[in-house]
Amino acid sequence: MPIFTTHDGTALAYHVRGQGDPLVCLPGGAMRASEYLGDLGGLSAGRRLVLLDLRGTGDSAVPADESTYRVDHQVADVEALRVHLGLERVDLLAHSAGAGLAQLYAAAHPERLRRLVLVTPNAQAVDLSATAEQRLAAARLRAGAEPYDAAIAAYARILAGADHGDADWDLAAPLFYGRWDAAARASYAAGERQQNEKAAEAYGGPGAFDPAATRAAMARVACEVLVLAGEVDGNPPPALAARIAVLFPKGSAEVQPAAGHFPWLDDAAWFAARVERFLATGA
């Protein structure tokens, strides 16, 4: 497990899987250890995945100043990793909340990106977060059978602020996956152990985002960008993913059929092939 020291002296860890050209991967959560990304559906067959444990998660150290959990402070960590790896330009993949960090990195260091992949991205950084109505509309696509009817009812309570805590989150969990199978159950069960909840609360805290400035900076990003949505995901739904993509001059959106928020678990071969093709040849 390699470790490097970032700009403020915090020791950060990353995990390497596979062989080939490097692909730096930023986890979501927010602030979930990169372990949950696995080998991204077999993407490691053709790429050397560099899976960063964000500060205070996984095998990375807790920073002396915990205010640096805020996402905008972590842009410097991504840049420090690029320098540590000796890369002039980097292929970058980010999932979910990690896409906010990737968007801020793209805005700050556009010249350092070769290609960018945003997988089921959160878009709080550009003020395009999915609304409760959009999330429920996606959930209701699966109405008519269990466990989805119970999941939809629980999710409606969560989004209305009337949930019953962990019990409703457990009921709603099938909505975040394309298939509620053993792999999905294991992924969900590991989440609590893998996430730094204190860091997650700080990640998008006050002052973290300046959407107007980020949008303006993203409009100057010259590299190609792929925004990958899941067909049955509500965060973001496919239509919102398309709106995120057009914020980049060379952005494109694609929808993985029958996939949820963790598309590499739903159809590993489809996911790995599509991402590899983009990294190799562009949109």
Side-chain angles (χ1 to χ4, degrees), residues 84-226:
H84 167 76
L85 295 172
L87 300 173
E88 183 67 22
R89 293 193 301 158
V90 65
D91 285 334
L92 185 65
L93 179 148
H95 174 239
S96 190
L101 176 55
Q103 289 161 15
L104 295 184
Y105 181 81
H109 301 283
E111 75 286 355
R112 297 304 184 186
L113 287 171
R114 179 180 172 272
R115 290 200 170 99
L116 174 62
V117 182
L118 303 177
V119 180
T120 58
N122 177 287
Q124 188 179 0
V126 290
D127 197 24
L128 279 179
S129 296
T131 65
E133 292 78 10
Q134 289 171 325
R135 296 183 191 203
L136 270 180
R140 288 170 178 149
L141 294 174
R142 296 198 260 182
E146 294 295 353
Y148 297 108
D149 287 344
I152 292 165
Y155 200 36
R157 291 191 292 271
I158 290 167
L159 293 172
D163 62 280
H164 300 102
D166 289 346
D168 271 346
W169 280 105
D170 292 345
L171 284 172
L175 297 172
F176 308 133
Y177 300 86
R179 295 192 310 271
W180 189 233
D181 56 11
R185 289 185 178 90
S187 169
Y188 177 72
E192 185 174 1
R193 170 180 61 81
Q194 294 167 340
Q195 187 175 37
N196 181 331
E197 293 186 4
K198 182 178 182 180
E201 291 176 3
Y203 187 78
F209 301 115
D210 182 344
T214 302
R215 284 172 176 250
M218 283 167 46
R220 299 189 292 271
V221 173
C223 75
E224 290 188 86
V225 180
L226 174 65

Side-chain angles (χ1 to χ4, degrees), residues 49-74:
L49 305 183
V50 178
L51 307 166
L52 177 63
D53 281 340
L54 302 181
R55 50 180 56 218
T57 72
D59 293 309
S60 287
V62 172
D65 179 2
E66 294 189 4
S67 71
T68 61
Y69 285 138
R70 206 176 72 179
V71 59
D72 54 322
H73 294 305
Q74 296 192 60

Side-chain angles (χ1 to χ4, degrees), residues 1-6 9-16 50-53 57-61 80-81 84-85:
M1 176 193 62
I3 294 176
F4 69 102
T5 302
T6 189
T10 304
L12 301 183
Y14 60 94
H15 303 266
V16 178
V50 178
L51 307 166
L52 177 63
D53 281 340
T57 72
D59 293 309
S60 287
L81 176 58
H84 167 76
L85 295 172

